[in-house]
Amino acid sequence: MALDQAIRDKIIASVERGFDEQIAYTQDLISLRSVRGDEYVIQDRVFNELRSRGYAMERFDMDQDAIERHPGGSPFSEDHSRAPIVVGTHRPRNETGRSLILQAHVDVVPPGPESLWTHPAFDPVIEGDWLYGRGGADMKAGHAANLHALDALRRIGFQPAATVYVQSVVEEESTGNGALMTHLRGYKAEAVLIPEPEDEKLVRANTGVVWFQVEVRGLPVHVREMGTGANAIDAAYRVIGELRKIESDWNTKKAGRPHFENEEHPINLNIGKIEGGDWESSVPAWCRISCRISIYPGWTAQDAAREIHDRVAKFALSDPFLSNIPPAVTFHGFHTEGYVLDPGSEAETVLANAHRAATGKPLQSFMTAGYLDTRVYALYDKIPALCYGPYSENIHGFDERVSLASLKRITTTMALFIADWCGLEAIE
Ligand code: ZN
């Protein structure tokens, strides 16, 4: 049921008309510093924004117990966000179309040293086509696009003829537990769209992600006795060597895997953080490394975790220092599986049509080697899970930025997609 040409033109013009307002709202979201655990204010803002438009609102907390019992749940650490999840629900007068979840996360990764940013990280500066700021691309631009794609329909007197849930979650950058919580709460629809910054392409496959820490301990001695070799930082470097071997072994397993075998290096291990030692002239008694590794779809986080644990334990036995006090491996964040979007779903066809109408180009799909919340809906709701969003640069880096022209195009795609997937009814 393709959209009528006249309606399509009206929707395209309506996105254009609302775009200044959409940019201003996106800038507001960027200026709210919503790093992990600090998402209360932004979730409150999102709640009010949805409520002011008449959506039925719910705000709820994470259920740690239920999350940790679920196979897709990641363990809680003391850094886990306690900020609420926000869901706004649109109900049509007559439910004639197909229901939809529009989801986005508000948490952003830490900005790192401010001196490496051209503008302050949470200052939403526009230069030419680029909107700067930590979390602007990933993914406050998409977050605002969810709301404004629906606004574009309202502006011309229409609303979706099906239930639409607008979900605003946290913990996307650390555990994926926010998205899982919406599933556990019972929200379900016939498709989901998440506008992450994917360069106007559709994600065909992605990886799971596992976070872990390795802690090495030794006996502190004065440096003049360090010949005994019990230096926890040196030992941690040897453990990192073994972790690099695991990474290399997992990369050789790309052979025969569609979406992965043609990638140079699909599995990435990041040694993200290292802490250790207490004093320049004491041999360090402890060292802790915090790591992130990706896994192929179809591998469970549990199996990957077991392999990491066993390989580190085995390596420790071969090392004179580590064999005395084996390193402890703990899992403290992402514990998630990847997914593959089956081609040929009706939802994908509708998105491809909308994308062509908005951009004049065919929709391309690709593999992305990172975590995405779409996995919750693909793996546990078993619905078409579409991850598609604007062009960006430097997400998780310095001078993160999103293209405004691209943001307008993908918002247009989204509005057309909603109109076609859900159907439209006149607002009374
Ligand atoms: Zn993101």
Side-chain angles (χ1 to χ4, degrees):
M1 52 173 180
L3 280 179
D4 174 70
Q5 180 69 47
I7 297 280
R8 202 158 77 180
D9 291 346
K10 275 189 173 178
I11 293 172
I12 293 169
S14 180
V15 171
E16 175 81 48
R17 270 210 310 288
F19 198 60
D20 284 348
E21 199 186 311
Q22 179 178 344
I23 293 174
Y25 178 54
T26 307
Q27 288 177 297
D28 279 0
L29 294 183
I30 294 171
S31 67
L32 297 172
R33 191 184 201 280
S34 48
V35 293
R36 191 182 195 190
D38 253 343
E39 309 95 340
Y40 293 89
V41 172
I42 194 167
Q43 286 292 63
D44 198 50
R45 173 75 201 270
V46 168
F47 183 97
N48 284 332
E49 204 68 37
L50 285 160
R51 188 174 60 176
S52 72
R53 287 160 171 81
Y55 295 98
M57 298 308 302
E58 202 201 2
R59 174 162 31 192
F60 49 94
D61 292 328
M62 299 268 187
D63 181 340
Q64 180 173 347
D65 216 40
I67 288 169
E68 289 188 334
R69 269 187 282 116
H70 190 280
S74 299
F76 278 55
S77 68
E78 59 190 31
D79 298 328
H80 198 285
S81 178
R82 299 284 165 182
I85 310 296
V86 168
V87 178
T89 302
H90 159 76
R91 299 275 184 210
R93 284 194 312 286
N94 296 306
E95 189 94 40
T96 56
R98 292 165 289 201
S99 58
L100 178 66
I101 293 168
L102 296 171
Q103 197 254 41
H105 66 87
V106 291
D107 53 314
V108 305
V109 301
E114 282 282 347
S115 60
L116 293 174
W117 287 77
T118 306
H119 312 287
F122 294 97
D123 205 354
V125 170
I126 294 174
E127 274 175 10
D129 182 47
W130 296 105
L131 169 57
Y132 287 84
R134 165 60 79 236
D138 184 12
M139 63 172 294
K140 288 167 176 180
H143 196 292
N146 281 343
L147 183 70
H148 279 264
L150 291 164
D151 279 3
L153 304 177
R154 298 159 71 93
R155 199 175 293 112
I156 52 172
F158 289 112
Q159 61 184 12
T163 297
V164 177
Y165 300 111
V166 185
Q167 301 181 340
S168 180
V169 306
V170 300
E171 281 289 323
E172 194 274 346
E173 300 288 4
S174 320
T175 59
N177 285 342
L180 185 65
M181 192 61 225
T182 66
H183 164 79
L184 291 169
R185 189 76 171 179
Y187 286 102
K188 193 160 179 182
E190 287 160 273
V192 61
L193 175 63
I194 304 184
E196 287 274 13
E198 303 295 358
D199 297 343
E200 302 190 16
K201 288 185 269 189
L202 176 65
V203 175
R204 176 65 63 203
N206 92 326
T207 56
V209 171
V210 174
W211 274 16
F212 60 98
Q213 287 179 329
V214 183
E215 183 150 353
V216 174
R217 288 196 171 272
L219 288 174
V221 291
H222 192 279
V223 279
R224 71 188 171 207
E225 295 155 45
M226 74 174 285
T228 52
N231 181 315
I233 293 177
D234 284 341
Y237 274 90
R238 298 198 292 278
V239 172
I240 290 172
E242 178 62 15
L243 296 175
R244 289 288 173 212
K245 283 188 196 158
I246 298 176
E247 178 190 30
S248 162
D249 291 349
W250 288 5
N251 273 296
T252 62
K253 292 182 178 171
K254 70 182 180 179
R257 283 177 198 278
H259 316 300
F260 292 89
E261 59 188 345
N262 296 326
E263 299 286 327
E264 179 82 26
H265 195 266
I267 299 299
N268 286 312
L269 166 71
N270 186 48
I271 309 296
K273 203 163 130 183
I274 183 159
E275 306 154 274
D278 299 299
W279 177 250
E280 283 79 345
S281 296
S282 297
V283 176
W286 67 282
C287 184
R288 184 164 52 234
I289 50 175
S290 302
C291 314
R292 168 268 188 212
I293 196 164
S294 42
I295 58 175
Y296 296 109
W299 287 18
T300 66
Q302 289 76 7
D303 286 348
R306 197 169 308 116
E307 183 171 342
I308 294 164
H309 181 274
D310 293 353
R311 296 252 325 235
V312 170
K314 194 167 167 218
F315 172 74
L317 288 177
S318 70
D319 183 281
F321 169 56
L322 293 169
S323 58
N324 271 335
I325 310 176
V329 182
T330 52
F331 297 87
H332 66 302
F334 279 123
H335 212 70
T336 64
E337 198 174 323
Y339 75 94
V340 175
L341 172 70
D342 294 327
S345 71
E346 182 65 14
E348 184 177 334
T349 304
V350 172
L351 184 71
N353 289 340
H355 174 82
R356 189 185 284 276
T359 67
K361 294 185 185 133
L363 179 62
Q364 294 180 318
S365 63
F366 75 127
M367 186 283 290
T368 174
Y371 171 83
L372 290 171
D373 268 349
T374 11
R375 59 101 199 189
V376 168
Y377 309 87
L379 295 172
Y380 310 119
D381 283 339
K382 301 193 187 310
I383 58 172
L386 309 171
C387 189
Y388 163 92
Y391 279 106
S392 69
E393 287 180 355
N394 307 333
I395 59 167
H396 295 208
F398 304 103
D399 292 342
E400 173 179 350
R401 61 186 192 171
V402 60
S403 158
L404 293 173
S406 177
L407 178 60
K408 193 195 288 178
R409 284 193 294 273
I410 70 101
T411 308
T412 305
T413 301
M414 290 166 67
L416 294 170
F417 171 79
I418 297 164
D420 198 356
W421 179 257
C422 302
L424 293 175
E425 64 181 19
I427 297 172
E428 280 188 328

